[in-house]
Amino acid sequence: MEPRPRPVAVAVNALLCVLSLCVSAAEAENVTTYDAKNFGAKGNGVDDDTKALVAAWKKACGTPGTVTLVIPPGTYYIGPAHFHGPCEALAITFFLQGVLMAATDLKRFGNDWIEFGWVTNLTVVGQNGGVIDGQGAASWPFNKCPVRKDCKVLPTSVMFLNNQNTVVRDITSVNSKFFHIALLHNNNMRMSNLRIHAPENSPNTDGIHIERNTGVIISDSRIGTGDDCISIGQGNHNIYIARVHCGPGHGMSVGSLGRYVGEGDVTSIHVTDMTFQGTMNGVRMKTWENSPTKSLAARILFENMVMKDVQTPIIIDQKYCPYYNCEHRYVSGVTIEDIKFKNIKGTSTLPVAVLLRCGVPCRGVVLQNVDLIYNGKAGTLSHCENANATYVGYQHPEPCA
């Protein structure tokens, strides 16, 4: 192995402090560092580096103590790669200095492309770019999910699954085949300084999808895709999102909820200081009708939002269905209560800037200090169904009658 460069040790020490695992300078010298190229990775954008990167991960994961796996500058062409624990390492850092470039043959993939799973004290950090390129353009024509319920789901670029105490920062994700990043069954996760990009017409390229997690923080990031910038799915608790710029895309959603059997509740969500620019929606809650089981979405706060040319900035939609033929037999089984929209201002590109469409009456919906102006000639409107909303402070458009 080549001698470990000192800058890597310094950077790793700083990362461990972010994880509340700060180590002394002497202890930092004991960090074990592996270079993926020493395991056969070429990084030339042509040779398949999947086996080399997985082998390097297994070595790093199996090493006791504090460990860093460096992916040096270069372009690493890889197929499905699972970076799994449990690890012998006390803390492990995946240090991406180059570009990970996805294979384009869909036959190689299952549900995801890169998967970090069953790891404790994991850090995924980028430097000098740190790009994850899903090469999704070749796959988007095969995505029928926007129009068919029984569609084949394309692979997510990066899945975080069953991890404890995770930091993800300074990473760029471009042109995912499906979701860019998905979080499933994680506890205590911090994500910051992410750059996520895909064309506005790319289908289902959600920036970050969150499902069945506890204790997630997402901050100081820019996301522009063909779908939701951030989507908070079922079974989440204690999610905090701050200072995220969203656009283009469909906005930021809690949902969709209520489609499948056994969905978990969504509680204690705080979204603050976001800017939406040119998006289809701003902040939105969406639930399906005809829910097979009941669930709850409660204690959710959206505050300090700026809307710039957003079609519909504030939405509760309990009749969500993106397909042409939708059944309307039963109201949504998702109970919505204690939802607050506070300090939301800006411009809409449709007359109805506030849409509150509840199934069974929503409980505890509050709008406080809302100032939204339609860019067209007519005035700005609100539309409500079974919302029973409470209005506090300045309101434009006028509250529903």
Side-chain angles (χ1 to χ4, degrees), residues 67 93 118 123 143 162 167 177 195 198 209 225 248-249 288 296 321 325 346 349:
V67 184
T93 297
W118 295 273
T123 296
N143 183 355
N162 282 304
V167 170
K177 293 177 173 63
R195 299 293 182 266
H209 179 70
T225 71
W288 291 78
L296 174 70
C321 178
N325 296 317
T349 59

mmCIF file of all heavy atoms in Angstrom, residues 67 93 118 123 143 162 167 177 195 198 209 225 248-249 288 296 321 325 346 349:
data_model
loop_
_atom_site.group_PDB
_atom_site.id
_atom_site.type_symbol
_atom_site.label_atom_id
_atom_site.label_comp_id
_atom_site.label_asym_id
_atom_site.label_seq_id
_atom_site.Cartn_x
_atom_site.Cartn_y
_atom_site.Cartn_z
ATOM 1 N N VAL A 67 -11.401 3.854 10.286
ATOM 2 C CA VAL A 67 -10.956 3.443 8.959
ATOM 3 C C VAL A 67 -11.502 4.403 7.903
ATOM 4 O O VAL A 67 -12.638 4.866 7.999
ATOM 5 C CB VAL A 67 -11.417 2.000 8.640
ATOM 6 C CG1 VAL A 67 -10.863 1.533 7.295
ATOM 7 C CG2 VAL A 67 -11.005 1.040 9.752
ATOM 8 N N THR A 93 -15.235 5.765 6.981
ATOM 9 C CA THR A 93 -15.485 6.879 6.073
ATOM 10 C C THR A 93 -15.276 6.432 4.633
ATOM 11 O O THR A 93 -14.239 5.859 4.300
ATOM 12 C CB THR A 93 -14.542 8.058 6.380
ATOM 13 O OG1 THR A 93 -14.811 8.540 7.694
ATOM 14 C CG2 THR A 93 -14.742 9.192 5.388
ATOM 15 N N TRP A 118 -26.491 -1.556 7.059
ATOM 16 C CA TRP A 118 -26.144 -2.220 8.315
ATOM 17 C C TRP A 118 -24.774 -1.761 8.837
ATOM 18 O O TRP A 118 -23.967 -2.574 9.296
ATOM 19 C CB TRP A 118 -26.188 -3.734 8.149
ATOM 20 C CG TRP A 118 -27.566 -4.233 7.855
ATOM 21 C CD1 TRP A 118 -28.531 -4.573 8.751
ATOM 22 C CD2 TRP A 118 -28.140 -4.440 6.562
ATOM 23 N NE1 TRP A 118 -29.680 -4.960 8.094
ATOM 24 C CE2 TRP A 118 -29.469 -4.897 6.739
ATOM 25 C CE3 TRP A 118 -27.669 -4.276 5.249
ATOM 26 C CZ2 TRP A 118 -30.317 -5.184 5.690
ATOM 27 C CZ3 TRP A 118 -28.515 -4.552 4.195
ATOM 28 C CH2 TRP A 118 -29.821 -5.019 4.415
ATOM 29 N N THR A 123 -19.591 7.579 7.521
ATOM 30 C CA THR A 123 -19.528 8.891 6.880
ATOM 31 C C THR A 123 -19.288 8.696 5.390
ATOM 32 O O THR A 123 -18.367 7.976 4.991
ATOM 33 C CB THR A 123 -18.393 9.757 7.467
ATOM 34 O OG1 THR A 123 -18.666 10.024 8.841
ATOM 35 C CG2 THR A 123 -18.269 11.073 6.726
ATOM 36 N N ASN A 143 -39.136 4.104 -18.155
ATOM 37 C CA ASN A 143 -39.873 4.323 -16.910
ATOM 38 C C ASN A 143 -41.340 4.618 -17.233
ATOM 39 O O ASN A 143 -41.669 5.679 -17.774
ATOM 40 C CB ASN A 143 -39.254 5.494 -16.141
ATOM 41 C CG ASN A 143 -39.930 5.720 -14.793
ATOM 42 O OD1 ASN A 143 -40.912 5.078 -14.456
ATOM 43 N ND2 ASN A 143 -39.399 6.648 -14.034
ATOM 44 N N ASN A 162 -30.852 0.641 6.987
ATOM 45 C CA ASN A 162 -30.571 0.068 8.311
ATOM 46 C C ASN A 162 -29.219 0.501 8.873
ATOM 47 O O ASN A 162 -28.466 -0.317 9.413
ATOM 48 C CB ASN A 162 -30.636 -1.467 8.263
ATOM 49 C CG ASN A 162 -32.058 -1.984 8.254
ATOM 50 O OD1 ASN A 162 -32.845 -1.672 9.145
ATOM 51 N ND2 ASN A 162 -32.397 -2.748 7.242
ATOM 52 N N VAL A 167 -23.349 10.237 8.543
ATOM 53 C CA VAL A 167 -23.144 11.581 8.007
ATOM 54 C C VAL A 167 -22.926 11.472 6.498
ATOM 55 O O VAL A 167 -22.125 10.653 6.040
ATOM 56 C CB VAL A 167 -21.929 12.273 8.664
ATOM 57 C CG1 VAL A 167 -21.582 13.565 7.922
ATOM 58 C CG2 VAL A 167 -22.200 12.562 10.128
ATOM 59 N N LYS A 177 -31.281 7.224 -12.360
ATOM 60 C CA LYS A 177 -32.268 6.480 -13.151
ATOM 61 C C LYS A 177 -33.658 6.603 -12.544
ATOM 62 O O LYS A 177 -34.664 6.679 -13.240
ATOM 63 C CB LYS A 177 -31.863 5.008 -13.240
ATOM 64 C CG LYS A 177 -30.596 4.758 -14.051
ATOM 65 C CD LYS A 177 -30.215 3.294 -14.022
ATOM 66 C CE LYS A 177 -29.052 2.980 -14.958
ATOM 67 N NZ LYS A 177 -27.804 3.670 -14.578
ATOM 68 N N ARG A 195 -25.585 18.452 -3.590
ATOM 69 C CA ARG A 195 -26.001 19.033 -4.857
ATOM 70 C C ARG A 195 -26.605 17.911 -5.681
ATOM 71 O O ARG A 195 -25.915 16.935 -6.022
ATOM 72 C CB ARG A 195 -24.806 19.663 -5.589
ATOM 73 C CG ARG A 195 -24.133 20.791 -4.813
ATOM 74 C CD ARG A 195 -25.049 22.002 -4.666
ATOM 75 N NE ARG A 195 -24.423 23.109 -3.964
ATOM 76 C CZ ARG A 195 -24.541 23.328 -2.661
ATOM 77 N NH1 ARG A 195 -25.243 22.487 -1.909
ATOM 78 N NH2 ARG A 195 -23.980 24.375 -2.097
ATOM 79 N N ALA A 198 -31.054 16.770 -11.952
ATOM 80 C CA ALA A 198 -31.536 16.008 -13.104
ATOM 81 C C ALA A 198 -32.459 16.933 -13.887
ATOM 82 O O ALA A 198 -33.023 17.879 -13.326
ATOM 83 C CB ALA A 198 -32.277 14.742 -12.662
ATOM 84 N N HIS A 209 -35.608 10.623 -0.942
ATOM 85 C CA HIS A 209 -36.837 9.992 -0.464
ATOM 86 C C HIS A 209 -36.565 9.355 0.893
ATOM 87 O O HIS A 209 -35.574 8.629 1.061
ATOM 88 C CB HIS A 209 -37.337 8.934 -1.439
ATOM 89 C CG HIS A 209 -38.579 8.246 -0.969
ATOM 90 N ND1 HIS A 209 -39.802 8.876 -0.917
ATOM 91 C CD2 HIS A 209 -38.779 6.993 -0.482
ATOM 92 C CE1 HIS A 209 -40.713 8.042 -0.430
ATOM 93 N NE2 HIS A 209 -40.115 6.895 -0.162
ATOM 94 N N THR A 225 -34.737 18.595 -9.821
ATOM 95 C CA THR A 225 -34.966 17.294 -10.453
ATOM 96 C C THR A 225 -36.259 17.320 -11.264
ATOM 97 O O THR A 225 -36.884 18.362 -11.430
ATOM 98 C CB THR A 225 -35.066 16.173 -9.395
ATOM 99 O OG1 THR A 225 -36.292 16.323 -8.674
ATOM 100 C CG2 THR A 225 -33.897 16.224 -8.420
ATOM 101 N N PRO A 248 -35.521 23.084 -10.478
ATOM 102 C CA PRO A 248 -36.901 22.756 -10.805
ATOM 103 C C PRO A 248 -37.340 21.458 -10.113
ATOM 104 O O PRO A 248 -36.548 20.824 -9.425
ATOM 105 C CB PRO A 248 -36.863 22.579 -12.318
ATOM 106 C CG PRO A 248 -35.469 22.076 -12.589
ATOM 107 C CD PRO A 248 -34.595 22.805 -11.597
ATOM 108 N N GLY A 249 -38.606 21.110 -10.322
ATOM 109 C CA GLY A 249 -39.126 19.877 -9.740
ATOM 110 C C GLY A 249 -40.562 20.051 -9.279
ATOM 111 O O GLY A 249 -41.241 21.026 -9.617
ATOM 112 N N TRP A 288 -53.424 9.102 -0.604
ATOM 113 C CA TRP A 288 -54.305 8.394 -1.529
ATOM 114 C C TRP A 288 -55.683 8.189 -0.918
ATOM 115 O O TRP A 288 -55.827 8.025 0.294
ATOM 116 C CB TRP A 288 -53.717 7.029 -1.865
ATOM 117 C CG TRP A 288 -52.481 7.077 -2.701
ATOM 118 C CD1 TRP A 288 -51.214 7.365 -2.277
ATOM 119 C CD2 TRP A 288 -52.383 6.823 -4.097
ATOM 120 N NE1 TRP A 288 -50.323 7.317 -3.317
ATOM 121 C CE2 TRP A 288 -51.011 6.981 -4.458
ATOM 122 C CE3 TRP A 288 -53.297 6.478 -5.084
ATOM 123 C CZ2 TRP A 288 -50.560 6.803 -5.757
ATOM 124 C CZ3 TRP A 288 -52.831 6.293 -6.383
ATOM 125 C CH2 TRP A 288 -51.486 6.450 -6.708
ATOM 126 N N LEU A 296 -51.581 7.945 10.456
ATOM 127 C CA LEU A 296 -51.647 9.307 10.969
ATOM 128 C C LEU A 296 -50.492 10.143 10.417
ATOM 129 O O LEU A 296 -49.350 9.670 10.344
ATOM 130 C CB LEU A 296 -51.570 9.285 12.498
ATOM 131 C CG LEU A 296 -51.476 10.631 13.235
ATOM 132 C CD1 LEU A 296 -52.796 11.387 13.124
ATOM 133 C CD2 LEU A 296 -51.104 10.403 14.703
ATOM 134 N N CYS A 321 -53.838 11.212 -6.838
ATOM 135 C CA CYS A 321 -53.740 10.084 -7.774
ATOM 136 C C CYS A 321 -53.155 10.625 -9.067
ATOM 137 O O CYS A 321 -53.769 11.482 -9.710
ATOM 138 C CB CYS A 321 -55.106 9.449 -8.032
ATOM 139 S SG CYS A 321 -55.033 8.079 -9.223
ATOM 140 N N ASN A 325 -56.949 6.939 -14.699
ATOM 141 C CA ASN A 325 -58.152 6.299 -14.164
ATOM 142 C C ASN A 325 -57.979 6.071 -12.669
ATOM 143 O O ASN A 325 -57.203 5.218 -12.239
ATOM 144 C CB ASN A 325 -58.406 4.959 -14.874
ATOM 145 C CG ASN A 325 -58.695 5.144 -16.352
ATOM 146 O OD1 ASN A 325 -59.433 6.043 -16.734
ATOM 147 N ND2 ASN A 325 -58.098 4.293 -17.191
ATOM 148 N N GLY A 346 -44.336 34.886 -1.390
ATOM 149 C CA GLY A 346 -43.777 34.770 -2.729
ATOM 150 C C GLY A 346 -44.845 34.863 -3.796
ATOM 151 O O GLY A 346 -45.897 35.487 -3.605
ATOM 152 N N THR A 349 -47.846 30.875 -9.993
ATOM 153 C CA THR A 349 -48.123 30.997 -11.431
ATOM 154 C C THR A 349 -49.512 30.490 -11.786
ATOM 155 O O THR A 349 -49.890 30.499 -12.958
ATOM 156 C CB THR A 349 -47.066 30.246 -12.256
ATOM 157 O OG1 THR A 349 -47.072 28.862 -11.887
ATOM 158 C CG2 THR A 349 -45.679 30.833 -12.012
#
